[in-house]
Amino acid sequence: MTQHLTQSPQFFLTAPSACPYLEGQFERKVFTHLVGNKAAEMNDLLTQGGFRRSQNIAYRPACETCRACVSVRILAQEFEVSRNMRRVLQQNRDLVSTMANAQPSTEQYSLFRTYLDARHRLGGMSDMTALDYAMMVEDTHVDTRIIEYRRRGPDSFITGKGEGELIAVALTDRMADGLSMVYSFFNPDMDERSLGTFMILDHIERTRAMGLPHVYLGYWVNGSRKMGYKMRFQPQEHLNPKGWERYQAR
């Protein structure tokens, strides 16, 4: 029997489950596998089409009665830092970010566990082991990087690296048109630093330096307070049935 291989991905649909963002709603996702030598190209196309990546899976909401999830990307080359964001940059002027290949470490996992226990104790990732974390970082067939944030050392201007404890981490995909923030976490005891905002600002600056247009933030969920922060990074585009369109927060 002759088997014909296809380059087209196969898509699957999950069963309904409780929505983690909107009470009383149920979510479904359509997903496909990102594997093989075309995975990076497919990840670019799917991300531009509203998908997100988790390990070797690309997924997108396919809810039957709700359209609250909206894909968001920042227009990095047009971005202007607000007064509040300048304060965040000033508060974190002692930090250095270093981008490297996506490799997990014990130090990263320790910070990851501290972050989950403080911020997402009842979330779907709350029981992740060190092996689960390693799989989250390493199980990728695309150009994935780890960005670590540490305090600036006396020789950082030479080495480009920070010193001391690990304060924040971002798992990021490098794409043809920018950077996609897959997952990030930070020291939950440093609220005054606004580390989540700082990491997004760092990604915007990195994208600008690369001469690329977009920072993909994933989904803004209309009606979810914990997703409201994404609206602060203007200008940005939202994906709707007509394609990507410029969005201006009111």
Side-chain angles (χ1 to χ4, degrees):
M1 179 170 51
T2 301
Q3 291 183 336
H4 296 281
L5 299 180
T6 176
Q7 294 295 324
S8 300
Q10 290 183 299
F11 292 90
F12 307 90
L13 187 64
T14 65
S17 60
C19 177
Y21 300 107
L22 299 177
E23 187 176 354
Q25 293 287 349
F26 289 86
E27 69 169 0
R28 299 189 78 177
K29 295 175 182 176
V30 60
F31 69 94
T32 190
H33 296 276
L34 290 170
V35 295
N37 57 8
K38 295 290 186 181
E41 179 182 345
M42 185 60 62
N43 186 50
D44 279 16
L45 290 172
L46 291 176
T47 301
Q48 292 161 7
F51 281 72
R52 294 289 288 164
R53 186 185 69 80
S54 177
Q55 295 179 226
N56 64 2
I57 297 291
Y59 67 90
R60 186 178 70 180
C63 306
E64 296 175 354
T65 61
C66 179
R67 295 293 182 269
C69 292
V70 179
S71 293
V72 174
R73 66 186 186 188
I74 303 167
L75 297 172
Q77 301 299 330
E78 300 181 44
F79 176 76
E80 295 184 4
V81 180
S82 68
R83 180 180 301 177
N84 181 65
M85 291 173 184
R86 289 193 187 93
R87 286 197 292 268
V88 172
L89 291 172
Q90 180 68 13
Q91 289 168 331
N92 293 284
R93 66 188 183 280
D94 61 332
L95 300 188
V96 172
S97 62
T98 305
M99 179 183 283
N101 292 332
Q103 295 182 341
S105 70
T106 302
E107 190 180 20
Q108 291 169 16
Y109 178 68
S110 178
L111 180 61
F112 177 69
R113 278 262 42 110
T114 300
Y115 173 78
L116 289 182
D117 292 343
R119 297 294 183 94
H120 302 286
R121 185 172 298 175
L122 301 179
M125 304 172 73
S126 60
D127 60 349
M128 285 181 64
T129 65
L131 179 59
D132 294 328
Y133 174 76
M135 289 293 292
M136 183 178 79
V137 174
E138 292 181 320
D139 191 6
T140 173
H141 292 252
V142 305
D143 189 359
T144 303
R145 304 300 177 95
I146 280 279
I147 305 178
E148 294 188 343
Y149 299 82
R150 300 176 186 270
R151 284 192 171 90
R152 187 180 302 277
D155 62 346
S156 291
F157 71 98
I158 298 175
T159 65
K161 298 180 179 180
E163 292 184 348
E165 67 174 318
L166 185 64
I167 291 174
V169 174
L171 185 65
T172 300
D173 287 346
R174 290 182 59 174
M175 299 170 46
D177 68 333
L179 297 177
S180 177
M181 298 185 70
V182 176
Y183 193 78
S184 59
F185 53 95
F186 51 84
N187 188 328
D189 295 328
M190 296 183 174
D191 281 341
E192 73 284 354
R193 285 183 175 267
S194 300
L195 289 167
T197 295
F198 177 69
M199 282 191 282
I200 295 175
L201 293 173
D202 180 64
H203 278 70
I204 293 171
E205 183 56 34
R206 287 178 177 276
T207 302
R208 291 167 71 116
M210 295 164 65
L212 298 175
H214 304 126
V215 175
Y216 288 85
L217 288 185
Y219 301 115
W220 168 61
V221 183
N222 192 5
S224 172
R225 290 184 61 186
K226 59 182 169 181
M227 287 293 184
Y229 72 92
K230 296 184 180 183
M231 294 298 97
R232 298 202 302 265
F233 299 89
Q234 299 286 335
Q236 60 185 230
E237 292 180 329
H238 289 189
L239 184 61
N240 60 42
K242 296 181 180 179
W244 289 98
E245 292 189 345
R246 196 180 186 94
Y247 176 87
Q248 188 65 45
R250 297 178 178 83

